[in-house]
């Protein structure tokens, strides 16, 4: 109807193809138009079949029933739904066969410099695999692609032993879940591992992370449904649940045995958060020292807080949009945000400190120091803030370095750190496009083997450093520098 080629859904009654509910919703309209007025309370089987209630997503091959308003796992006695899936897969494979031959010839004729191909006029990465959007799941895709390019973290999960959660006839077969299936035998670690293994395999087709998304729905109720979610919130929930599952053991293999398999993650490198340490805290875990001083009696209170990421305010002086007369005004940098986070500040009336010496709430100052830096420093820029009635986005551009982010001046004891131990190089950036947290779109930039890629759901394109540094970053992933390479600093 609308000539869109996005999110095609095929009706399993009449085989007509319409766009899904997240495009223009013509598949749902097709179902509504086919409804038969209920003249009697009882309907015949013939009337049931004519109502076009069941359709299939041609991208993920999931079956959906509009009457139940849910995805379904059932098949007919003759296995007709599975036959439709196989037919669609054969069509998809045949469509890509000629394209693969053409690409193979291009690769054979090109130099070793090019693992890249020109497709539809854009430079596409042959070795990179995109992630299909399952309905506003770009927030998840951007985080998954970013984490997949943090090598030490990604390699740990990819090297875990495979776990078969199903036995017998269903082993190894693709399954299609419903929200009410009641299957408690799910493993976030296992589905996360499978997804990471599927990326960077050189597949020409995007990977559909539907099994992982099903587990996310199961164990993270906040992310059920198909509305847009906050990528930073998802990242925190994902890391927290991976951490908790690894602590509890993994399919009979104890957490301690799993951790011992990676000799690089010694006990001294781990920061404990909510119990025993895991690879999550070993890679992302750091420690903050929170100092609060009473301005009346001078009593000082110190507290140590573990963290997996730092949420940084964009200073208020940079938040206002520039007018034509202010185009040459000061530019906000990542150092400005870090300084705002760590500088001494006086707590306002709503955050008065309970002084144990004065025995009442008093005016006080607060300051953060970083006691221990993590191997991967995750910085979240607070682009969304609440006003009286709604959540606004701070669209200010924040300048950030690709290499040599120096964190030494924010350390509690910088004299105990080596000259190179506080330098970080950028590994990935998550960007939010749009005006609101409940809308818009997420993409990610990430470095892989010295080249930068742009991950936009199913599409992965090679890009350059100049494009990356112009991005309005939302989440930044910096990896601790291992060897001496240059002296560029923030």
């Amino acid at each position: 109807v609308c000539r869109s080629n996005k999110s095609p859904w095929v009706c399993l009654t009449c085989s007509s193809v319409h766009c899904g509910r997240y495009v223009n919703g013509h598949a749902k309209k097709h179902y509504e138009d086919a409804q038969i007025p209920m003249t009697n309370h009882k309907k015949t089987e013939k009337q049931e079949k004519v109502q076009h209630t069941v359709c299939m997503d041609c991208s993920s091959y999931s079956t959906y029933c509009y009457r139940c308003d849910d995805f379904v796992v059932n098949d007919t006695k003759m296995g007709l739904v599975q036959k439709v899936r196989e037919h669609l897969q054969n069509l998809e494979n045949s469509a890509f066969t000629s394209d693969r031959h053409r690409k193979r010839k291009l690769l054979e004729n090109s130099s070793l410099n090019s693992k890249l191909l020109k497709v539809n006029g854009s430079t596409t990465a042959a070795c990179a695999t995109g992630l299909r959007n399952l309905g506003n799941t770009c927030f998840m895709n951007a985080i998954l692609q970013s984490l997949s390019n943090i090598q030490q973290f990604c390699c740990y999960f990819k090297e875990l032993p495979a776990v078969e959660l199903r036995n017998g006839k269903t082993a190894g077969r693709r399954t299609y879940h419903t929200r009410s299936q009641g299957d408690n035998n799910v493993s976030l670690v296992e589905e996360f591992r499978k997804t990471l293994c599927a990326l960077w395999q050189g597949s020409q087709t995007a990977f559909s992370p539907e099994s992982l998304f099903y587990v996310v729905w199961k164990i993270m109720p906040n992310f059920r449904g198909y509305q847009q979610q906050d990528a930073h919130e998802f990242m925190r929930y994902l890391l927290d649940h991976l951490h908790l599952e690894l602590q509890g053991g993994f399919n009979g293999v104890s957490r301690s045995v799993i951790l011992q398999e990676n000799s690089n993650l010694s006990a001294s490198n781990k920061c404990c958060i909510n119990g025993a340490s895991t690879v999550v805290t070993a890679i992302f875990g750091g420690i903050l020292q929170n100092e609060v001083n009473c301005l009346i009696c001078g009593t000082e209170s110190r507290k140590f807080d573990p963290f997996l990421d730092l949420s940084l305010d964009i200073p208020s002086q940079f938040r206002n949009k520039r007018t034509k007369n202010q185009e040459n005004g000061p530019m906000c940098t990542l150092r400005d945000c870090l300084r705002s986070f760590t500088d001494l500040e006086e707590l306002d009336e709503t955050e008065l400190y309970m002084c144990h010496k004065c025995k009442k709430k008093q005016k006080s100052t607060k300051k953060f120091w970083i006691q221990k830096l993590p191997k991967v420093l995750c910085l979240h820029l607070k682009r969304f803030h609440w006003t009286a009635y709604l959540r606004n986005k701070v669209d200010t551009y924040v300048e950030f370095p690709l290499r040599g982010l120096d964190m030494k001046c924010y350390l509690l004891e910088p004299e105990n750190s080596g000259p190179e131990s506080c330098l970080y190089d950028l590994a990935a950036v998550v960007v939010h496009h749009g005006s609101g947290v409940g809308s818009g779109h997420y993409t990610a930039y990430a470095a892989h083997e010295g080249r930068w890629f742009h991950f936009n759901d199913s599409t992965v394109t090679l890009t350059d450093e100049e494009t990356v540094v112009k991005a309005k970053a939302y989440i930044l992933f910096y990896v601790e520098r291992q060897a001496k390479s240059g002296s560029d600093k923030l």
Side-chain angles (χ1 to χ4, degrees), residues 35 209 230 254 294 386 403 417:
Q35 287 296 292
D230 187 303
S254 71
C294 176
W386 286 100
R403 300 176 193 83
S417 302

Side-chain angles (χ1 to χ4, degrees), residues 20 90 133 171 213 289 326 366 449 487:
N90 290 334
N133 192 314
F213 195 42
Q289 177 176 294
Q326 296 175 317
K366 180 182 72 173
E449 296 180 353
S487 59

Side-chain angles (χ1 to χ4, degrees), residues 203-463:
S203 172
Q204 299 296 330
T205 57
F207 176 73
S208 180
E210 57 192 22
S211 295
L212 175 62
F213 195 42
Y214 163 72
V215 176
V216 168
W217 276 26
K218 270 296 204 187
I219 65 178
M220 306 181 202
N222 295 23
F223 298 96
R224 288 178 185 169
Y226 293 96
Q227 65 272 25
Q228 185 63 276
Q229 302 280 0
D230 187 303
H232 174 250
E233 185 181 3
F234 171 75
M235 182 197 75
R236 285 306 311 268
Y237 271 87
L238 177 68
L239 292 179
D240 286 345
H241 280 83
L242 288 171
H243 172 65
L244 290 172
E245 190 172 311
L246 285 169
Q247 284 184 91
F250 186 65
N251 198 48
V253 181
S254 71
R255 176 193 53 78
S256 58
V257 173
I258 294 172
L259 282 173
Q260 286 170 9
E261 292 177 3
N262 194 330
S263 59
N264 294 326
L265 303 176
S266 63
S268 61
N269 289 332
K270 295 167 191 167
C271 167
C272 295
I273 299 174
N274 296 330
S277 57
T278 67
V279 65
V280 176
T281 52
I283 300 294
F284 291 96
I287 300 175
L288 281 176
Q289 177 176 294
N290 184 358
E291 290 182 359
V292 179
N293 285 280
C294 176
L295 292 176
I296 307 302
C297 69
T299 299
E300 184 180 88
S301 172
R302 293 182 182 179
K303 188 172 71 170
F304 293 97
D305 297 315
F307 67 87
L308 294 179
D309 69 316
L310 298 178
S311 290
L312 311 178
D313 279 307
I314 297 174
S316 56
Q317 65 265 32
F318 299 106
R319 290 188 187 181
N320 296 327
K321 293 183 178 179
R322 297 177 187 174
T323 63
K324 291 183 179 180
N325 298 328
Q326 296 175 317
E327 287 181 354
N328 297 322
M331 179 179 290
C332 184
T333 67
L334 194 55
R335 170 174 277 187
D336 293 318
C337 299
L338 284 164
R339 189 185 294 118
S340 174
F341 179 78
T342 56
D343 275 355
L344 186 72
E345 66 169 314
E346 185 174 336
L347 298 176
D348 60 31
E349 295 294 327
T350 61
E351 300 178 305
L352 288 180
Y353 163 65
M354 181 65 183
C355 179
H356 297 291
K357 189 173 182 181
C358 299
K359 303 296 183 183
K360 64 178 181 178
K361 290 186 176 182
Q362 300 283 30
K363 285 190 174 183
S364 53
T365 59
K366 180 182 72 173
K367 180 171 176 59
F368 283 121
W369 293 97
I370 299 176
Q371 192 206 38
K372 175 188 174 293
L373 283 165
K375 291 182 178 297
V376 175
L377 178 64
C378 179
L379 301 176
H380 160 237
L381 299 179
K382 293 182 181 177
R383 292 201 172 273
F384 301 104
H385 66 99
W386 286 100
T387 59
Y389 300 103
L390 51 96
R391 203 176 184 188
N392 286 335
K393 181 181 177 184
V394 180
D395 207 34
T396 305
Y397 170 73
V398 178
E399 186 180 44
F400 56 90
L402 289 179
R403 300 176 193 83
L405 170 61
D406 193 352
M407 295 295 292
K408 193 168 187 176
C409 60
Y410 310 109
L411 279 177
L412 180 64
E413 298 174 341
E415 64 277 2
N416 295 335
S417 302
E420 288 280 320
S421 62
C422 302
L423 292 181
Y424 286 80
D425 298 323
L426 191 67
V429 187
V430 174
V431 182
H432 178 268
H433 311 266
S435 58
V437 67
S439 59
H441 183 58
Y442 287 99
T443 65
Y445 294 95
H448 185 82
E449 296 180 353
R451 296 182 299 176
W452 281 94
F453 295 87
H454 185 214
F455 298 91
N456 184 3
D457 287 336
S458 299
T459 306
V460 184
T461 53
L462 187 70
T463 188

Side-chain angles (χ1 to χ4, degrees), residues 111-123:
S111 64
L112 292 175
N113 183 28
S114 173
K115 283 189 179 179
L116 305 170
L117 306 167
K118 286 281 187 178
V119 181
N120 296 329
S122 64
T123 309

